[in-house]
């Protein structure tokens, strides 16, 4: 993946309007980290962009990797599909160091992609993106009848809930009986 | 997309981003879902000071939380589009969805309006919690025989918009409040 970090201008302004001490402050080189998903494709992401993810930010702070160590040890996210991780990385890059807007219209429209994105974002603890995604999921049922909501979010009926509960009780009873029988066998 | 596959925190965040009207309709999907909404949105519901029975800008009776996007349900006396029935507090009520605002409309049969409103109101008391106060706004018109103000639980305020015949409306409202001492006139 090509790094999409925004370039920072190194040229000093002709007539600085900021305080002299801030203009004289040395620029700290940006550090980069590497992540990969299920598809093992490695993405290079700046520490600034990764700040959106509380999980990765915590990992970075705790590990204290050098650039070489970071390159040699990409963070593996085997539970996230490659295309979903790409979306997350793109979002983090786009919103690096910027205040997040109240709406985000670039989220996937397909239900299954959005579903996977929500799970990934929740796992990576990217609060703002999670809020956008949840808003979009909530919009899916705007102005829908209860039956339509049930279909969209695959919610079981009361009868199905009751049957599942009975089944779970039955299974738990069988497992408990099996354990008792096994314990009795061991005692013999 | 299966809602139950999401962690509870995510489910809560989704519900938190839904309007009252959508939560109201969703609560009819199943008993479990109703309980999930009530428990996850308890703080949000507790912050509702009042629910108003009033009128929309186009004059239709409407129930709303006084906040932007707070409309819960609109009442209509005629509905010839596609609809659905909901069993609300043991009463079957016909509903539809207004395409312009995505808001549910309840068909209010003139002969049965008091029992329909009472059933809906009982449902609101259970769903939003009994700490919410209710306000009944009505219009008085001298051609009307009676002022229609149903006696509902937690109804703490009432406003009567006068459309002529001020003395008549005062007399009728005074007679109403005399009969219903639990309702406070404002």
């Amino acid at each position: 993946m090509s790094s999409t970090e925004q370039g920072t201008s190194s040229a000093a302004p002709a007539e600085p309007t900021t305080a002299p001490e801030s203009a004289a402050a040395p620029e700290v080189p940006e550090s980069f980290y590497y992540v990969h998903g299920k598809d093992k494709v490695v993405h290079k992401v700046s520490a600034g962009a990764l700040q959106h993810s509380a999980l990765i930010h915590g990992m970075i702070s705790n590990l204290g990797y050098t650039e070489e160590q970071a390159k040699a040890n990409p963070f593996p996210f085997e539970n996230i599909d490659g295309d979903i991780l790409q979306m997350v990385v793109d979002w983090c890059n786009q919103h690096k160091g910027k205040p997040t807007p109240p709406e985000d219209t670039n989220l996937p429209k397909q239900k299954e992609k959005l579903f996977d994105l929500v799970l990934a974002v929740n796992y990576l603890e990217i609060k703002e993106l999670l809020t956008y995604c949840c808003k979009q999921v909530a919009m899916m049922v705007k102005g829908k009848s209860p039956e339509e909501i049930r279909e969209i979010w695959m919610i079981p009926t009361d009868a199905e809930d009751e049957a599942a509960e009975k089944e779970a009780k039955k299974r738990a009873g069988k497992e408990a009986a099996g354990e008792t029988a096994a314990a009795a066998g061991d005692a013999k | 997309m299966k809602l139950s596959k999401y962690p509870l925190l995510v489910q809560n965040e989704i519900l938190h981003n839904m309007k009252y009207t959508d939560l109201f309709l969703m609560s009819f999907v199943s008993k479990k879902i109703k309980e999930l909404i009530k428990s996850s949105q308890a703080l949000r519901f507790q912050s509702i000071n009042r629910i108003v029975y009033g009128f929309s800008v186009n004059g239709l009776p409407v129930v709303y939380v006084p906040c932007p996007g707070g409309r819960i349900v609109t009442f209509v006396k005629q509905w010839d589009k596609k609809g659905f029935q909901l069993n609300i507090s043991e009463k079957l009520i016909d509903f539809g969805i207004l395409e312009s605002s995505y808001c549910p409309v309840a068909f209010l049969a003139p002969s049965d309006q008091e029992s329909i409103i009472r059933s809906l109101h009982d449902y609101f008391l259970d769903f939003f919690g009994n700490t919410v106060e209710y306000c009944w706004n009505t219009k008085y018109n001298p051609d009307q025989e009676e002022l229609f103000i149903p006696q509902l639980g937690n109804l703490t305020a009432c406003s009567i918009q006068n459309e002529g015949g001020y003395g008549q409306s005062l007399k009728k409202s005074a007679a109403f409040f005399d009969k219903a001492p639990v309702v406070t006139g404002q």
Side-chain angles (χ1 to χ4, degrees), chain B residues 44-156:
Chain B
R44 187 176 166 197
F45 290 173
Q46 275 164 26
S47 70
I48 300 175
N49 290 328
R50 112 181 346 189
I51 290 178
V52 180
Y53 288 85
F55 294 92
S56 66
V57 277
N58 51 10
L60 292 173
V62 64
V63 187
Y64 63 93
V65 177
C67 69
R71 190 185 296 196
I72 303 169
V73 63
T74 303
F75 294 106
V76 287
K77 292 199 170 152
Q78 259 189 333
W79 186 257
D80 45 17
K81 291 181 189 158
K82 202 180 130 204
F84 51 94
Q85 268 194 332
L86 294 178
N87 185 343
I88 301 184
S89 316
E90 307 299 318
K91 186 162 187 70
L92 281 177
I93 302 176
D94 291 313
F95 275 84
I97 302 282
L98 272 179
E99 280 168 18
S100 54
S101 61
Y102 298 105
C103 184
V105 287
F107 174 63
L108 196 62
S111 57
D112 207 14
Q113 58 177 346
E114 185 150 1
S115 73
I116 289 172
I117 287 169
R118 200 180 295 278
S119 298
L120 258 171
H121 188 78
D122 288 345
Y123 193 83
F124 292 151
L125 286 175
D126 172 53
F127 187 60
F128 292 109
N130 53 13
T131 55
V132 182
E133 292 183 353
Y134 290 81
C135 172
W136 183 269
N137 288 349
T138 190
K139 286 178 181 168
Y140 173 74
N141 136 13
D143 301 333
Q144 268 175 258
E145 280 291 305
E146 282 280 332
L147 263 178
F148 177 61
I149 308 172
Q151 293 187 23
L152 305 169
N154 282 21
L155 192 67
T156 57

Side-chain angles (χ1 to χ4, degrees), chain A residues 111 135 143 150 152-153 158, chain B residues 1 3 17 22 29 31:
Chain A
K111 275 198 289 183
K135 269 187 192 168
R150 183 197 308 289
I152 293 167
W153 284 345
D158 285 338
Chain B
M1 182 181 280
L3 187 71
N17 279 290
D22 294 318
V29 173
K31 285 179 194 161

Side-chain angles (χ1 to χ4, degrees), chain A residues 111-112 114-115 118-119 122 130-131 134-135 137-138 140-146 148-150 152-156 158 161-162, chain B residues 1-7 9-10 13-15 17-19 22 25-26 28-33 82 84 86 97 101-103:
Chain A
K111 275 198 289 183
E112 295 318 313
L114 184 61
F115 179 81
V118 171
L119 289 180
N122 178 57
L130 183 64
T131 306
C134 288
K135 269 187 192 168
V137 175
M140 290 165 69
V141 298
K142 188 178 176 184
K144 301 287 182 200
S145 72
E148 288 169 328
I149 297 174
R150 183 197 308 289
I152 293 167
W153 284 345
M154 300 164 84
I155 300 170
D158 285 338
D161 276 336
E162 276 165 27
Chain B
M1 182 181 280
K2 214 170 184 173
L3 187 71
S4 59
K5 292 270 183 199
Y6 283 134
L9 264 173
V10 175
E13 184 69 22
I14 293 168
L15 297 177
N17 279 290
M18 288 173 69
K19 289 185 174 175
D22 294 318
L25 285 180
M26 189 181 171
F28 294 97
V29 173
S30 76
K31 285 179 194 161
K32 258 192 172 177
I33 286 293
K82 202 180 130 204
F84 51 94
L86 294 178
I97 302 282
S101 61
Y102 298 105
C103 184

Side-chain angles (χ1 to χ4, degrees), chain A residues 75-123:
Chain A
F75 295 120
F77 297 109
E78 306 283 357
N79 53 343
I80 302 176
D81 283 339
D83 58 339
I84 299 292
L85 190 62
Q86 176 78 68
M87 277 183 217
V88 174
V89 166
D90 288 347
W91 188 90
C92 289
N93 279 326
Q94 272 169 23
H95 296 87
K96 185 178 74 173
K98 286 185 202 163
T100 45
E103 298 272 324
D104 196 324
T105 50
N106 294 324
L107 297 175
K109 299 281 180 282
Q110 309 101 304
K111 275 198 289 183
E112 295 318 313
K113 282 270 175 277
L114 184 61
F115 179 81
D116 290 343
L117 181 63
V118 171
L119 289 180
V121 167
N122 178 57
Y123 178 72

